[in-house]
Amino acid sequence: MSDALVLMYHAIGTRSTSRDPHNLFVSPESLRRQLGTLLDRGWTPLTLDRYLGGDVPRRSVLLTFDDGYQAFLDEGLPVLRELDVPATVFVLSGLLGGRSGWMADMPDEPLVDADGVRELVGAGLDVECHGWDHSHLAGTDPRTLARNVTHALRTLADLTGRRPRAFAYPYGDHDAAARRAVADAGFEIGFSVHERAGRFAVPRVDVTSVDTDTTFLMKTRPGYTALRQMTGRVPGLRPALHSLVGRAKRSST
């Protein structure tokens, strides 16, 4: 496993604020601009295999996309193909072809079906495991944990013909039992959102629809991940970080 930057996108697509109250959907134009900026600045996008191998250039980035929205297939994949960059996509094995019903205020977003997963694999993307049904995994019961880790892995492996190697915790939620289940299932790595806890809870930097060019660049700086982790532990640092980001947003407008 390398120390490369890991970026996390929830979804790619053009959505109104009313349809995307959590700012999850980054527009294809923003994605194209952000990835173009990384490429212009000499960043190397990584496959999962190269990331896990660890021997990578200093400016390396693993692009990850969560939840497996159909919009990613329709609007995100063409951008990746255009720029010829690899990516890792996390899908929900038990909700393929369904909708994002885990979010009460966004229940109608379609998710990729089995054919969509095969299309992603055929496009050369690493398709990995995001659980079974987007359940919280911290503090959950053993049955829910087994369904969202072991059963989800087997179902995705049967579909793709490849054993998943990476797991992304829904909501970023994890505890010792969840991390142990991911390790015991044979995953090589687990990704959280901000909270680090060893190889099976590696933090990622989340990119949202409200990021400007300035805040996106701020998030690629080496100290950002450590600062973001500290804000969750030390009272007063989170408002300071938000204030800094807010000033960067205003200066770019």
Side-chain angles (χ1 to χ4, degrees), residues 72-89:
F72 171 79
L73 185 63
D74 297 338
E75 303 183 63
L77 181 58
V79 176
L80 299 181
R81 282 173 161 164
E82 174 189 331
L83 299 178
D84 192 26
V85 297
T88 299
V89 182

Side-chain angles (χ1 to χ4, degrees), residues 96 113-115 117-118 154-162:
L96 298 179
D113 59 14
D115 287 338
V117 169
R118 296 187 187 99
R154 291 172 180 168
T155 300
L156 186 57
D158 289 343
L159 176 59
T160 64
R162 303 174 178 179

